[in-house]
Amino acid sequence: MLDTVFGDVSLTAVESVMALDADFWFEFADPEAPKRIQSRDLRPDWRKRGFLRGYCDSRYTFGRYISPLSPNRPTDAEALFAQNAVLYDRLTDPAEMRNLAADPALRGLVDRYRGVLEALIDRELGTDTRAWVTERPRLLGRPTWHGDTDQPAASAAASGG
């Protein structure tokens, strides 16, 4: 259905921890940053909405941001705007400098694109409602990410098998 109604569209799913909290990375200019990390004084803010779900069609780029701690599936425009939607018209703004998502004149388009995005997520990712981390991530040591314990080797090791 999506391909026939909206053309050939694909979901863009960005989960880049490196780009999640720019303020955290800027702190690495401080020579004391390693000590601050060890003392837990310097930590990224995992609540920031730096992960993206979006797509492009022949004219627009549309998306919404999520936090790795609180994924969401907005069911209407109000919920969508609470989670930071973006809409760019690449025809009139090829550099994608003006976010049109909050323009009241485009409310119908934004809501239609929200529906397409959610359908793409269903088609390509499934429910997409699990937090990306199973615990508040530790900066020292490897955090436990969802999927780590879903692997057969991890499950066998956890059960003693």
Side-chain angles (χ1 to χ4, degrees), residues 29-50:
D30 177 2
E32 297 294 313
K35 289 179 185 174
R36 293 173 56 208
I37 289 170
Q38 288 182 332
S39 70
R40 295 182 178 222
D41 179 48
L42 178 58
R43 298 173 59 89
D45 184 349
W46 297 91
R47 296 167 299 174
K48 289 191 175 182
R49 295 183 300 251

Side-chain angles (χ1 to χ4, degrees), residues 148-161:
D148 290 347
T149 56
D150 297 341
Q151 303 301 318
S155 299
S159 65

Side-chain angles (χ1 to χ4, degrees), residues 58-76:
S58 60
R59 180 168 182 176
Y60 293 98
T61 296
F62 177 76
R64 64 178 172 78
Y65 288 92
I66 61 173
S67 158
L69 291 178
S70 58
N72 61 83
R73 298 292 302 269
T75 56
D76 59 34

Side-chain angles (χ1 to χ4, degrees), residues 101-122:
D103 183 340
L106 298 175
R107 190 64 162 242
L109 179 69
V110 168
D111 199 42
R112 182 175 69 147
Y113 276 47
R114 180 205 53 78
V116 172
L117 177 59
E118 296 306 315
L120 282 167
I121 292 169
D122 286 340

Side-chain angles (χ1 to χ4, degrees), residues 40 43 46 135-144:
R40 295 182 178 222
R43 298 173 59 89
W46 297 91
E135 62 191 35
R136 196 160 177 82
R138 299 179 307 271
L139 201 50
L140 297 177
R142 187 171 180 269
T144 306

